[in-house]
């Protein structure tokens, strides 16, 4: 074995049937093939694959160049756009986190991953069923881009399986897009039932799995064909890299890979390296995000200024029973609805927070608070609430500090609401 680490075995996609390693063990070992973590003669000597920067790849002679162009470039040096071991290692690790997956393609953002996956499965004349609680830019891609290519999007209620089965009966429906829990409002979908229905109709299923990550919800083993992550959030985990990924079954991976190549999609080796570094600690980070967010969600539920807490692990969240059945954990992102008040009262709450940043995105180590208005991003359902909504991302700070901060924020909200 020489320098080669006993653990740097590199498990091939498709071997997941006889691979009974637990998810946390996979997180530590995945993507560390000896040929990616070594020097000549010392395969596997380095723990993590280093940053391999390259555009041009040099060949010995014309014959070698021709041979390379004529064979598969998957995980082989060919030209920088097809990646180097730094990105292959991250893609491989994400594949290993999804039992049943054949491979993963990486993208420069989560939205780029969603857009490419949709372009890979749809063609002019097709219809797409899109969950009404989808991430807003996902909706925009459908209505502002797919629409122009003759692909019609039909939005459906995340909680209405009857409405969805009617939609699936339309012969032109080609794809079903799921996001569970939904963006901003956190409805949990019955993914095993919905994907089984879709399969009966020959409809491909795609899921935005950014909230749970494959660690708390392995999407492919719940029936999904194509699983999408905004790696920008929990995979990177440190608010310093934009990235997306698409992980697919054997049946779909070739099409995803080909489409990504045709669009020239790739990630920089430096970003892949940072994302791989983030991935190794996903287990411990998510556990802390989960515990702190739950403590704060339960505290908020008991405050008179709060009408509702939208958190999949709380009983009054739509689909809570499905979350209990299908997910092995919850993460740091949830919303709450204020009891009365208006935009100004909500801004008084958020503006004075000392420990929460105000900004888009989430999934980093830091807490964030965002005013959200779900009614603006609904067309198949009606969003009704007792007051304005706030979305929180609970970071890795001490939850006692965050609760004290929110407590003062609710007092500012109350003063504006009642004094106004
Ligand atoms: C942030 C986010 C995305 C998009 O990811 P970017 O990397 O910001 O493009 C997609 N889906 C969900 C659920 C998100 O929260």
């Amino acid at each position: 074995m020489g320098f080669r680490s006993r653990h740097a075995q590199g498990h091939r996609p498709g071997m997941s049937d006889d691979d009974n390693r637990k998810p946390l063990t996979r997180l530590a070992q995945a993507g560390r093939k000896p040929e990616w973590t070594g020097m000549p003669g010392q395969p596997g000597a380095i723990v993590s694959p280093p940053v391999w920067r390259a555009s041009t790849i040099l060949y010995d002679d014309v014959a070698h160049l021709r041979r390379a162009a004529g064979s598969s470039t998957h995980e082989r040096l060919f030209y920088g756009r097809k990646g180097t071991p730094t990105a292959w290692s991250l893609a491989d690790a994400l594949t290993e986190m999804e039992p049943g997956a054949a491979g993963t393609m990486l993208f420069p953002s989560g939205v780029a991953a969603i857009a490419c996956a949709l372009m890979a499965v749809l063609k002019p004349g097709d219809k797409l069923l899109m969950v009404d609680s989808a991430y807003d830019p996902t909706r925009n891609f459908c209505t502002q881009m797919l629409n122009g290519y003759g692909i019609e999007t039909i939005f459906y209620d995340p909680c209405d399986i009857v409405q969805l089965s009617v939609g699936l009966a339309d012969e032109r429906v080609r794809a079903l897009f799921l996001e569970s829990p939904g963006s901003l409002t956190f409805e949990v979908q019955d993914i095993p039932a919905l994907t089984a229905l879709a399969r009966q109709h020959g409809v491909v299923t795609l899921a935005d799995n950014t909230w749970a990550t494959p660690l708390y919800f392995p999407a492919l083993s719940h029936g999904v064909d194509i699983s999408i992550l905004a790696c920008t959030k929990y995979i990177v985990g440190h608010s310093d890299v934009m990235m997306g990924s698409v992980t697919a079954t054997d049946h779909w991976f070739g099409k995803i890979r080909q489409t990504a190549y045709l669009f020239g999609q790739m990630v920089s080796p430096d970003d892949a390296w940072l994302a791989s570094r983030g991935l190794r600690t996903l287990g411990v980070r998510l556990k802390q995000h989960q515990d702190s967010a739950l403590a704060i969600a339960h505290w908020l539920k008991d405050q008179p200024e709060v009408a509702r807490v939208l958190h999949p692990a709380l009983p009054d969240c739509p689909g809570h029973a499905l979350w209990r059945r299908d997910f092995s954990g919850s993460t740091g992102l949830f919303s709450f609805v204020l009891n009365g008040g208006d935009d100004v009262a909500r801004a008084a709450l958020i503006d004075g927070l000392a420990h929460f940043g105000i900004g888009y995105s989430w999934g980093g180590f830091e807490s964030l608070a965002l005013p959200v208005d779900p009614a603006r991003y609904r067309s198949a359902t009606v969003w009704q609430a007792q007051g304005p909504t706030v979305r929180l991302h609970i970071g890795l700070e001490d939850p006692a500090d965050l609760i004290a901060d929110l407590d003062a924020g609710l007092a500012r909200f109350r003063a504006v609401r009642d004094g106004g």
Side-chain angles (χ1 to χ4, degrees), residues 109-112 114 135 179 183 208 210 230 232-233 242-243 361-362:
S109 71
V111 166
I114 291 164
Y135 181 62
E179 185 179 329
S183 272
D208 184 333
T210 301
T232 308
K233 313 295 167 52
M242 302 293 300
M243 195 178 291
S361 203
W362 51 276

Side-chain angles (χ1 to χ4, degrees), residues 143-188:
T143 55
Q144 296 173 35
M145 182 61 69
L146 292 180
N147 192 39
Y149 287 93
I151 297 160
E152 188 188 333
T153 301
I154 302 157
F155 291 94
Y156 68 91
D157 182 337
C159 306
D160 188 346
I161 196 158
V162 177
Q163 183 198 359
L164 189 94
S165 49
V166 173
L168 282 168
D170 183 336
E171 278 186 359
R172 280 173 58 201
V173 167
R174 175 82 179 130
L176 168 66
F177 196 101
L178 310 142
E179 185 179 329
S180 180
S183 272
L184 310 184
T185 45
F186 300 90
E187 299 89 342
V188 181

Side-chain angles (χ1 to χ4, degrees), residues 181-408:
S183 272
L184 310 184
T185 45
F186 300 90
E187 299 89 342
V188 181
Q189 298 190 263
D190 192 342
I191 293 195
L194 298 178
T195 53
L197 260 178
R199 208 169 303 114
Q200 283 170 20
H201 288 90
V203 168
V204 57
T205 52
L206 308 93
D208 184 333
N209 196 29
T210 301
W211 184 84
T213 83
L215 199 57
Y216 286 169
F217 184 77
L220 268 47
S221 16
H222 287 83
V224 169
D225 296 309
I226 298 170
S227 173
I228 305 168
L229 298 178
C231 299
T232 308
K233 313 295 167 52
Y234 282 132
I235 305 303
V236 166
H238 295 74
S239 303
D240 48 11
V241 174
M242 302 293 300
M243 195 178 291
S245 66
V246 178
T247 301
T249 57
D250 195 35
H251 184 78
W252 288 103
F253 180 61
K255 186 77 187 174
I256 296 288
R257 182 173 60 196
Q258 179 201 21
T259 310
Y261 284 166
L262 289 173
F263 275 104
Q265 293 288 41
M266 61 162 301
V267 301
S268 88
D270 304 82
D271 287 351
W273 179 80
L274 279 166
S276 291
R277 164 165 287 208
L279 184 69
R280 300 298 175 198
T281 58
L282 183 68
V284 283
R285 284 187 289 109
L286 281 193
K287 191 171 184 306
Q288 188 61 52
H289 286 295
Q290 164 168 253
D291 291 351
S292 298
L294 276 173
I296 291 165
H298 281 289
W299 177 82
L300 279 169
K301 186 171 60 68
D302 294 336
Q303 305 311 306
E305 296 85 1
V306 174
R308 248 178 102 192
V309 178
L310 305 166
H311 185 306
L314 264 56
D316 56 350
C317 189
H320 166 70
L322 300 169
W323 174 81
R324 284 181 70 99
R325 186 191 68 190
D326 295 340
F327 289 65
S328 58
S330 59
T331 59
L333 191 78
F334 66 95
S335 294
F336 64 95
V337 177
L338 288 158
N339 215 337
D342 58 8
D343 275 1
V344 179
R346 175 173 63 180
L349 189 174
I350 295 174
D351 287 345
L353 292 170
H355 300 311
F356 290 80
I358 304 169
Y360 293 110
S361 203
W362 51 276
F365 53 84
E366 83 289 12
S367 288
L368 296 168
L370 195 71
V372 295
D373 300 299
R376 286 211 243 153
Y377 313 112
R378 294 287 184 277
S379 53
T381 53
V382 177
W383 172 250
Q384 279 174 321
Q386 299 90 326
T389 303
V390 177
R391 191 188 75 179
L392 296 180
H393 179 251
I394 303 304
L396 303 179
E397 304 89 347
D398 191 310
D401 285 339
L402 300 177
I403 287 178
D405 203 15
L406 289 167
D407 197 25

